Amino acid sequence: MRKVGDRIRHALSFEILGLLIATPLGALLFHMPVHEMGVVALVGATIATTWNIIYNYVFDVILQRFTGTTLKSGVVRIFHAVLFEAGLLLMLLPFVMWYLGVTFWQALVMDISFAVFYMVYAFVFNWAYDRIFPLPEWQTASSSQRL
């Protein structure tokens, strides 16, 4: 299992890099001022960072209980990313509607667009993070499962 400091490094690096990519892309895609999209992205990142720490800890506890390891296969990583984004979508939708003054459907399209971006981003980021910062237990894991 990852230690608290590692989880904090993971969450912060994930969110900072995500903000640097998603804010200008969102402003461009949805024809919104960068500063408005920046506020939405920053509030979203704050909520997402908290959710990230809690969600990843709970996910790893459950994964370890059922499989005996926290090593994630490709299929588990996809499930992990989809479930994370679904929970985050439910938390952010009301804020996006209120702050940007958009309809439910507009906010939903925006949230889904960001969710798709972040699912792909989360998959790539987490895979890279696990390669850069592998856990010692993975060194002894079966060679049939690769990071």
Side-chain angles (χ1 to χ4, degrees):
M1 285 275 249
R2 295 199 179 271
K3 296 185 191 284
V4 173
D6 189 21
R7 289 183 185 282
I8 291 169
R9 175 183 56 201
H10 173 272
L12 290 176
S13 60
F14 178 88
E15 293 305 331
I16 290 167
L17 185 58
L19 277 172
L20 292 173
I21 297 169
T23 299
L25 283 178
L28 183 66
L29 181 65
F30 297 113
H31 309 288
M32 294 279 190
V34 173
H35 70 277
E36 285 187 11
M37 196 55 65
V39 169
V40 169
L42 187 57
V43 169
T46 302
I47 292 169
T49 299
T50 304
W51 175 233
N52 188 331
I53 293 167
I54 295 166
Y55 174 80
N56 283 310
Y57 174 74
V58 171
F59 192 94
D60 282 354
V61 166
I62 292 169
L63 184 63
Q64 189 170 46
R65 176 172 282 158
F66 283 101
T67 67
T69 183
T70 58
L71 183 63
K72 296 168 186 75
S73 67
V75 171
V76 171
R77 287 180 184 283
I78 291 169
F79 177 74
H80 177 267
V82 170
L83 196 57
F84 176 86
E85 291 301 330
L88 188 58
L89 179 88
L90 291 173
M91 289 183 264
L92 291 178
L93 190 60
F95 172 74
V96 172
M97 289 172 54
W98 169 77
Y99 184 76
L100 295 177
V102 296
T103 67
F104 170 82
W105 294 110
Q106 290 170 314
L108 185 63
V109 167
M110 288 178 178
D111 273 349
I112 289 172
S113 298
F114 278 109
V116 169
F117 164 79
Y118 271 100
M119 273 193 290
V120 173
Y121 171 68
F123 183 85
V124 172
F125 179 91
N126 287 316
W127 204 322
Y129 189 90
D130 286 347
R131 286 188 170 275
I132 295 167
F133 304 106
L135 289 174
E137 73 176 76
W138 298 345
Q139 304 304 322
T140 59
S142 167
S143 63
S144 65
Q145 275 192 323
R146 301 198 78 172
L147 297 177

